[in-house]
Amino acid sequence: MANDNGRQAGPRCIALVGPFASGKTSLLEAILMRTGAITRQGHARDGNMVGDAAPEARSNGMSVEVNVAETEFMGDRYSFIDCPGSVEFQYESLAVLAGCDMAVVVAEADPKKVAALQLILGDLEARKLPHLIFLNKIDKLSGQVRDILTMLQPASRVPLVLRQLPMTKAGVVTGCIDLALERAHVYHEAKESEIIALPDGEKADEVAARTAMLEQIADFDDVLMEQLLEDVQPEKDLIFKDLVEEMRAGKICPVFIGSAEHGNGITRLLKAIRHEAPTVKETRARLGLADGTGNVVQIMKTMQTARSGKMCVARVLSGSVADGATLRSADGRESKVSGIFRVMGQETQKREAAQEGETVALGKVEAARTGDTLSAGRMVPDLMPPPESLPMMAIAVSPKERKDDVRLSTALQRILEEDPSLHLTHVPETGETVLEGHGEMHLRVVVERITGRYGVPVTTSVPRIAYRETIRKSANVRGRHKKQSGGHGQFGDVVLTIKPLPRGGGLGFDEKITGGVVPRQYISSVEAGVREYFGMGGPLGFPVVDVAVTLTDGSYHTVDSSDMAFRQAAQIGMREGMPQCEPVLLEPVMEVTVHCPSEATARINAILPRRRGQIVGSDTREGWDGWDDIHAYVPASEMQDLIIELRSATAGVGSFEQEFDHLAEIGGRLAEEVASKYGRQVA
């Protein structure tokens, strides 16, 4: 729907993203206050904001999940989705961004956060999602704003175009100059700014900044470039047309300024969103969803509520969705909508059918998962591929009381629905339930939800490492099982040769029986006994690898021999023979690739050797200016809290990928420590 001046109206969905502690939730609060959705602006220090109202967010003093709030501005409806800034929770924004029209990137003049900003802008650029930067905390500005843009520019692959110039008095920012409109605004605390005549002392800076802005956008418009070269003053309509089209096309990233805490720059930001954000029709085109597809929604977030059960935050991309509608996923899962709700932070309010472009919560859509694309008519392919999730840290979790096993399993299942980035594994070897996540805080919040939301007390521990053992030398051994207890007895007699195999050689069994000293029907029982021993653990108590056993001789009794007797004889032979073969402990070694800003490479190169890591090379990270990839082999036992140290050394943005590579021999003090930790005796 178009209104005056051809501006496209209709509901918009805007994501608020940015580095940790940049002020996204404060900006959401300021927007809600300015638009009349709330009557009083809360503050993070008071714990009274619409966003971050969940117990886990308030207890940790940070956003740990997306927060949705709806409001109106100048007759248009907007849903703002505040996304967590910590890299440990950025997976929350993946499904959100797929259904948004635009992103507002909240940044600040902090060189330590440039790398984090680069991660966020890189994702938006890859998605081709139109975005602008809101340079927050302008009241704390020191130095020239153009110098700040120079500092931030490496984070963006496209030019950062300054749209506003701060006005200062005695070193304090008092307002801003809109470079496109050539208007000056004086800030007022928590109120709309006041338009004033451009002060004489600001005119020279305004001309220089405006000229720089025009030259940047003229790089993509030959007509504007020609006018600038001929010193012809371009029409403002042409300037706005270029600013809007180039931002939507991903050619530039506009930069606005303000202070969310003090409510400065909010109205101008909202007006920019109102005039420059794409419509849901353009979002459909970006996602490859054809017009006329029918009723289609994108599931941005699934959540479990105490009163209403499962709810899904969803964007209506096409058509409408009514209460009672049946929605189906790309793979045929069906759910019936039971209630449509308006969302305001943690609060929901029932409402009528959701129309195209609106963002709502759908009740009881049980089969829906985060990231699904659902349709009421023919099935529509998922518009967002499943995000890649690389776990960085793991904990073993168990109920404090055995009677809570089922309750814990139910809680974990619901949490995994809400958070598909978690990995849950049941390890038969250790009997542990292992939960893998993106870092210490991520896993801490999961535990808080298990205990707080679902009321299941749990204990956590570091998961056990999958140590193995092998042997260094060969041995020949006889294993005899003889038992007489009335009636038929038990008799089995075997001679085994035990020898080591090369690393990765597996477990082997062979026989070289001649003359029928061990009847053919019992040879399989001998092999079964040997393999059972391997699984139960060798002299050091760990599963055995890289060992070959050959049955070379033996004897039997025509009456007392049996399958069980020969199985027992084989195990006796293995128990007696393996200690003679110089058993040795093996630890898993991971192939690791660390991703880090280049300025942190030296620090990472110092961290890895301290963890017994062997660095094998490094190179520049493909497609990431100013980033490196460091390749190393690191023992699995040293990986558990590596991400904490990496993030400390990289201002919170470092990450790694890992996969099992090989088993390596350990001995001496390290082997003794493992034995002590797991209660085993190293020979």
Side-chain angles (χ1 to χ4, degrees):
M1 171 174 75
N3 62 7
D4 56 303
N5 300 323
R7 185 186 65 82
Q8 294 294 312
R12 301 291 208 282
C13 185
I14 310 298
L16 304 180
V17 298
F20 172 68
S22 56
K24 298 175 295 300
T25 307
S26 295
L27 177 59
L28 174 63
E29 195 80 1
I31 288 171
L32 297 177
M33 176 67 183
R34 184 58 49 84
T35 57
I38 57 176
T39 57
R40 180 176 178 273
Q41 183 170 337
H43 298 278
R45 61 180 177 272
D46 300 324
N48 60 353
M49 296 192 291
V50 171
D52 291 355
E56 301 84 21
R58 290 190 172 169
S59 66
N60 292 290
M62 63 186 294
S63 297
V64 298
E65 61 186 350
V66 296
N67 292 284
V68 184
E70 182 182 314
T71 189
E72 288 193 9
F73 178 67
M74 298 182 71
D76 289 339
R77 279 172 295 164
Y78 296 87
S79 290
F80 288 93
I81 305 184
D82 172 25
C83 300
S86 167
V87 293
E88 295 192 29
F89 298 98
Q90 281 182 1
Y91 64 87
E92 285 271 336
S93 67
L94 298 181
V96 167
L97 295 174
C100 286
D101 302 316
M102 182 183 187
V104 174
V105 183
V106 185
E108 57 183 307
D110 185 349
K112 294 180 181 178
K113 295 185 178 181
V114 173
L117 184 63
Q118 184 180 12
L119 288 175
I120 294 163
L121 291 177
D123 182 47
L124 298 176
E125 290 158 359
R127 294 171 178 270
K128 296 182 167 54
L129 180 64
H131 54 278
L132 59 81
I133 287 178
F134 180 74
L135 186 58
N136 194 22
K137 306 178 185 179
I138 199 67
D139 52 305
K140 299 176 182 178
L141 177 69
S142 61
Q144 297 293 317
V145 71
R146 281 170 288 184
D147 293 336
I148 294 172
L149 256 64
T150 300
M151 176 188 71
L152 298 180
Q153 182 60 64
S156 174
R157 293 185 177 94
V158 299
L160 301 181
V161 177
L162 188 64
R163 291 282 299 270
Q164 295 171 307
L165 191 69
M167 295 189 300
T168 59
K169 185 175 182 180
V172 177
V173 175
T174 58
C176 72
I177 300 168
D178 189 305
L179 298 176
L181 292 171
E182 295 188 286
R183 290 179 184 169
H185 300 256
V186 173
Y187 292 147
H188 295 293
E189 184 77 15
K191 296 180 181 178
E192 288 192 37
S193 58
E194 175 189 355
I195 299 176
I196 63 170
L198 188 65
D200 291 338
E202 303 283 353
K203 287 183 178 179
D205 285 344
E206 186 273 339
V207 169
R210 189 169 193 269
T211 299
M213 179 191 76
L214 294 177
E215 288 174 347
Q216 284 179 295
I217 62 176
D219 285 340
F220 308 100
D221 184 343
D222 293 339
V223 173
L224 179 58
M225 179 64 77
E226 186 175 338
Q227 290 180 353
L228 294 180
L229 291 174
E230 295 176 358
D231 288 330
V232 175
Q233 185 65 24
E235 294 289 333
K236 288 183 180 177
D237 286 348
L238 174 61
I239 294 172
F240 272 106
K241 173 177 171 293
D242 281 354
L243 286 169
V244 172
E245 290 181 354
E246 291 172 17
M247 183 272 291
R248 291 184 181 180
K251 296 177 180 178
I252 63 170
C253 178
V255 179
F256 293 80
I257 64 174
S259 170
E261 184 176 359
H262 298 289
N264 300 145
I266 305 304
T267 301
R268 185 67 198 96
L269 174 65
L270 287 167
K271 287 182 177 180
I273 293 170
R274 182 172 184 264
H275 286 277
E276 301 176 27
T279 63
V280 69
K281 180 176 181 179
E282 292 164 294
T283 297
R284 283 199 302 270
R286 174 174 59 84
L287 295 173
L289 183 63
D291 288 339
T293 306
N295 302 330
V296 179
V297 301
Q298 179 71 21
I299 302 299
M300 296 175 157
K301 172 73 175 174
T302 60
M303 53 190 181
Q304 297 287 339
T305 65
R307 288 180 297 176
S308 305
K310 183 176 180 178
M311 300 186 78
C312 296
V313 176
R315 177 86 189 282
V316 183
L317 295 175
S318 177
S320 61
V321 177
D323 193 3
T326 297
L327 299 176
R328 60 181 56 85
S329 64
D331 59 4
R333 287 173 282 114
E334 288 192 354
S335 295
K336 189 173 182 178
V337 176
S338 179
I340 299 176
F341 302 85
R342 176 178 180 264
V343 183
M344 179 64 76
Q346 295 287 300
E347 301 297 322
T348 58
Q349 180 180 3
K350 200 157 187 179
R351 49 158 289 169
E352 298 300 319
Q355 305 302 316
E356 183 171 285
E358 292 187 313
T359 303
V360 295
L362 306 177
K364 306 293 185 183
V365 189
E366 297 296 342
R369 298 187 294 239
T370 299
D372 278 350
T373 304
L374 306 182
S375 58
R378 62 182 178 84
M379 288 189 293
V380 175
D382 280 332
L383 301 176
M384 189 194 85
E388 184 181 18
S389 177
L390 300 173
M392 306 283 172
M393 194 171 179
I395 56 172
V397 59
S398 60
K400 282 189 175 179
E401 298 185 27
R402 199 163 188 89
K403 64 182 178 63
D404 288 331
D405 269 338
V406 174
R407 293 177 62 214
L408 175 59
S409 179
T410 301
L412 287 171
Q413 183 180 356
R414 291 177 177 173
I415 287 172
L416 288 168
E417 261 191 53
E418 292 185 4
D419 182 356
S421 74
L422 287 166
H423 291 195
L424 184 67
T425 307
H426 298 283
V427 186
E429 180 183 327
T430 63
E432 293 177 320
T433 297
V434 176
L435 197 60
E436 295 177 286
H438 295 276
E440 183 183 30
M441 183 59 69
H442 184 199
L443 294 172
R444 181 191 304 173
V445 167
V446 171
V447 172
E448 288 177 5
R449 285 176 179 156
I450 294 171
T451 57
R453 186 186 302 178
Y454 298 103
V456 183
V458 296
T459 58
T460 62
S461 59
V462 175
R464 288 172 55 178
I465 302 300
Y467 291 103
R468 297 290 184 263
E469 63 177 273
T470 190
I471 55 176
R472 289 197 184 103
K473 71 175 189 177
S474 301
N476 293 311
V477 64
R478 178 179 292 274
R480 173 172 289 191
H481 176 64
K482 183 177 181 180
K483 189 172 183 182
Q484 193 73 40
S485 56
H488 287 306
Q490 298 179 40
F491 183 83
D493 177 34
V494 296
V495 176
L496 305 174
T497 297
I498 307 171
K499 65 179 182 180
L501 290 176
R503 198 71 67 241
L507 297 169
F509 178 83
D510 196 6
E511 56 86 15
K512 295 181 179 179
I513 295 298
T514 59
V517 291
V518 176
R520 307 302 299 176
Q521 68 265 30
Y522 297 139
I523 291 177
S524 61
S525 299
V526 176
E527 180 177 2
V530 169
R531 293 194 181 277
E532 284 177 8
Y533 172 85
F534 286 152
M536 290 186 296
L540 307 182
F542 297 95
V544 176
V545 296
D546 303 337
V547 172
V549 176
T550 303
L551 173 63
T552 61
D553 200 355
S555 62
Y556 73 100
H557 190 279
T558 54
V559 176
D560 292 344
S561 288
S562 65
D563 288 322
M564 179 59 70
F566 273 97
R567 182 179 297 188
Q568 291 292 328
Q571 291 191 16
I572 291 170
M574 294 300 295
R575 284 197 298 270
E576 293 180 359
M578 284 288 287
Q580 303 173 31
C581 298
E582 291 188 10
V584 62
L585 193 62
L586 301 175
E587 65 175 347
V589 176
M590 314 303 287
E591 181 182 10
V592 179
T593 299
V594 177
H595 308 299
C596 67
S598 300
E599 63 180 20
T601 298
R603 292 191 289 274
I604 304 305
N605 284 338
I607 289 170
L608 294 176
R610 291 201 299 267
R611 292 174 173 266
R612 298 190 289 129
Q614 177 189 358
I615 298 173
V616 294
S618 64
D619 48 45
T620 57
R621 189 178 183 185
E622 186 175 357
W624 290 80
D625 291 340
W627 282 65
D628 289 337
D629 283 345
I630 302 171
H631 307 284
Y633 294 108
V634 184
S637 60
E638 302 286 350
M639 295 295 298
Q640 169 60 18
D641 59 353
L642 173 62
I643 190 60
I644 299 174
E645 196 170 4
L646 289 185
R647 292 214 168 115
S648 176
T650 59
V653 298
S655 64
F656 63 80
E657 300 174 44
Q658 63 171 329
E659 63 177 354
F660 172 76
D661 188 78
H662 65 279
L663 291 168
E665 182 178 325
I666 56 172
R669 186 170 182 177
L670 280 174
E672 290 173 3
E673 289 175 357
V674 172
S676 174
K677 183 174 183 179
Y678 292 103
R680 291 173 170 85
Q681 183 65 46
V682 177

